[in-house]
Amino acid sequence: FATIISFDNKIDVVVDKIPVNEVNSDNLRPDQFTPKGQTSLFDAIMLCFEKIEKSSKNDSENNDNINDEKEIIKLEDSFITIITDGQDNSSKASRKDVRERANEMWSKGVQGKFLGAKGYAMRQGEKILGLSSDHILEYEVTEDAVASLSQTLTSSMAHYYTTGTSPAFSPLQRS
């Protein structure tokens, strides 16, 4: 299943828990991802973790709201990809809150990637999320770079769904 959250000074759930193969241009529009100013990165990350946990078999108190057993996802089968073009400047959640929550989720088997604008991503991915540099990718904020980023993510996600592991970004993907 896929959940896609867009964020600027507000957070929008663009797609909520639909089968990955149903994510397409019918339910995603470019205007939903156009930068508009402020960046509530920390709040968006916290919402992602909350949604993962609510969908999890390991979160039994929230499973009362789930009607179909197929809708329950194991934490260790969950994967979060965060893509941002800037640094947080408008969240209510703190860097410390995000780091603690991220460490908790990683310890439960959730896997993650962080993709950010050149100059910010390594520091943000390592310090905020505690990810190793193998799972962080910096990119130029250009149309061509974003198209290439899409191919990189598709490849990474295909590997994850066939093997259950999140591969490190390769030197070729980093170029």
Side-chain angles (χ1 to χ4, degrees), residues 6-137:
S6 175
F7 57 94
D8 47 31
N9 61 321
K10 64 181 183 137
I11 299 170
D12 294 311
V13 178
V14 177
V15 170
D16 196 12
K17 203 170 177 192
I18 67 170
V20 173
N21 62 347
E22 291 180 18
V23 177
N24 57 46
S25 60
D26 293 337
N27 45 35
L28 301 177
R29 297 182 326 271
D31 66 293
Q32 293 170 306
F33 302 97
T34 303
K36 298 175 192 91
Q38 301 293 312
T39 304
S40 296
L41 175 63
F42 298 165
D43 290 344
I45 292 169
M46 294 294 274
L47 178 60
C48 288
F49 286 144
E50 178 185 316
K51 287 189 154 296
I52 287 170
E53 199 149 59
K54 282 186 177 178
S55 297
S56 168
K57 285 184 180 177
N58 297 338
D59 188 18
S60 58
E61 68 188 50
N62 290 313
N63 284 340
D64 296 342
N65 301 332
I66 298 175
N67 299 322
D68 184 351
E69 189 69 22
K70 287 187 268 183
E71 291 183 21
I72 301 173
I73 301 164
K74 294 179 189 173
L75 277 176
E76 59 271 17
D77 291 339
S78 299
F79 189 97
I80 181 172
T81 301
I82 300 154
I83 305 171
T84 185
D85 65 349
Q87 299 182 62
D88 186 278
N89 57 16
S90 65
S91 287
K92 293 179 180 125
S94 71
R95 176 188 310 256
K96 182 178 183 245
D97 294 336
V98 173
R99 179 61 183 258
E100 288 173 359
R101 188 75 164 121
N103 287 340
E104 176 187 343
M105 297 303 279
W106 306 151
S107 74
K108 292 179 178 180
V110 175
Q111 296 183 47
K113 298 269 190 210
F114 185 86
L115 297 89
K118 254 193 171 123
Y120 306 112
M122 285 298 173
R123 186 175 69 247
Q124 288 186 116
E126 290 173 347
K127 292 191 188 270
I128 298 166
L129 294 167
L131 291 171
S132 78
S133 59
D134 289 345
H135 299 283
I136 302 168
L137 186 65

